[in-house]
Amino acid sequence: MDDAARLRVEAAELLLTAYETKKPVDPLVGLYPGLTLDDSYAIQQLQIERRLAAGRTLKGHKVGLTSAAMQRQLGVDQPDYGQLLDDMFFLEHLPVPAGTYLQPRIEPEVAFVLKRPLAGPGVTVAEAVAAVDFVLPALEIIDSRIRDWKIGLLDTIADNASSGGVVLGSTPVGVGDVDLRLSGCVLHRNAEIVGTGAGGAVLGSPLSSLVWLANTVGARGVVLEAGHVILPGSITASVAVAPGDTFTAAFAGIGSVTARFAKEETR
């Protein structure tokens, strides 16, 4: 095993341990000087392969850092992507267990559900529209295994794009029945407004994010599969989550979705 491969395996093990112990680690860029974009995606993939081998299944992908608000919040200048596994999905009427995450935040998104595969590179907006079965209101739970969210692009990519969980709403809408660019969103935490925005904040349109994802993963030999859920990116800046919080995101023309977080368990 050469030095680059050894670095990737070691970093992947470090993040997997952080998942298991719920103890964050220092930024990878400090621990591994010279870390590259390819290293970070390889570290992500090593962790996904370990979890798939343990019985998890791939259910979709997410795009992160697509809005100016999120890029400013985390100090980056380009999107990234991560992978969604079956154990990341929660029903909106059941509380997300306390202790599931280290330092969770929440983001409102419009989720795409595909009816046919999308294989890039070279995917166009027209092909992306034709591949979408319907959209759903969604709340993404993001989390970081990096201490105090002190992340840059390479750290968050290696950490599966800071993926945590997904709560999907139950109001499917045809992609042609709503202008995703103009669909406004209001995010409430415990009945207080904590964020507003519109779909155009996501690379100009959530569909542009879907195209970016299909072409970016396609260049790495990955196909977006029929039935998979695609999260295109947050409409607002992320909001910190505390035990016992309830969040609701309402999207014009699409519907609403609610995520409930359990209170801290008592011993």
Side-chain angles (χ1 to χ4, degrees), residues 195-224:
T196 60
V202 182
L203 293 183
S205 168
L207 280 166
S208 297
S209 181
L210 176 58
V211 171
W212 178 89
L213 176 66
N215 289 329
T216 300
V217 300
R220 295 177 178 271
V222 176
V223 175
L224 303 182

Side-chain angles (χ1 to χ4, degrees), residues 58 90 138 158 205:
L58 184 65
F90 296 91
S205 168

Side-chain angles (χ1 to χ4, degrees), residues 36-185:
T36 68
L37 192 73
D38 284 341
D39 288 332
S40 291
Y41 277 119
I43 292 165
Q44 177 189 130
Q45 188 61 32
L46 285 169
Q47 295 170 81
I48 294 297
E49 289 172 358
R50 177 76 67 84
R51 297 181 70 186
L52 293 175
R56 302 272 61 90
T57 57
L58 184 65
K59 292 294 184 179
H61 285 76
K62 61 156 288 185
V63 184
L65 308 175
T66 53
S67 70
M70 283 305 302
Q71 290 184 3
R72 285 194 302 269
Q73 191 174 33
L74 296 181
V76 301
D77 60 0
Q78 60 180 288
D80 66 351
Y81 70 83
Q83 302 175 64
L84 303 176
L85 303 180
D86 60 309
D87 61 345
M88 297 180 182
F89 288 78
F90 296 91
L91 293 173
E92 64 173 330
H93 65 278
L94 296 178
V96 178
T100 301
Y101 302 110
L102 284 76
Q103 40 194 354
R105 298 178 178 180
I106 205 157
E107 302 177 337
E109 308 198 20
V110 176
F112 294 107
V113 180
L114 301 183
K115 62 183 175 185
R116 64 184 67 164
L118 268 179
V123 169
T124 66
V125 169
E127 290 167 330
V129 169
V132 174
D133 196 359
F134 52 86
V135 299
L136 289 170
L139 285 164
E140 183 188 4
I141 306 160
I142 60 171
D143 195 18
S144 182
R145 275 54 62 176
I146 307 298
R147 198 181 318 279
D148 300 323
W149 280 97
K150 292 181 178 178
I151 60 174
L153 182 66
L154 300 182
D155 289 296
T156 186
I157 289 172
D159 192 23
N160 196 25
S162 302
S163 297
V166 186
V167 179
L168 296 175
S170 54
T171 53
V173 174
V175 70
D177 295 333
V178 60
D179 189 335
L180 296 178
R181 299 167 303 167
L182 301 181
S183 177
C185 174

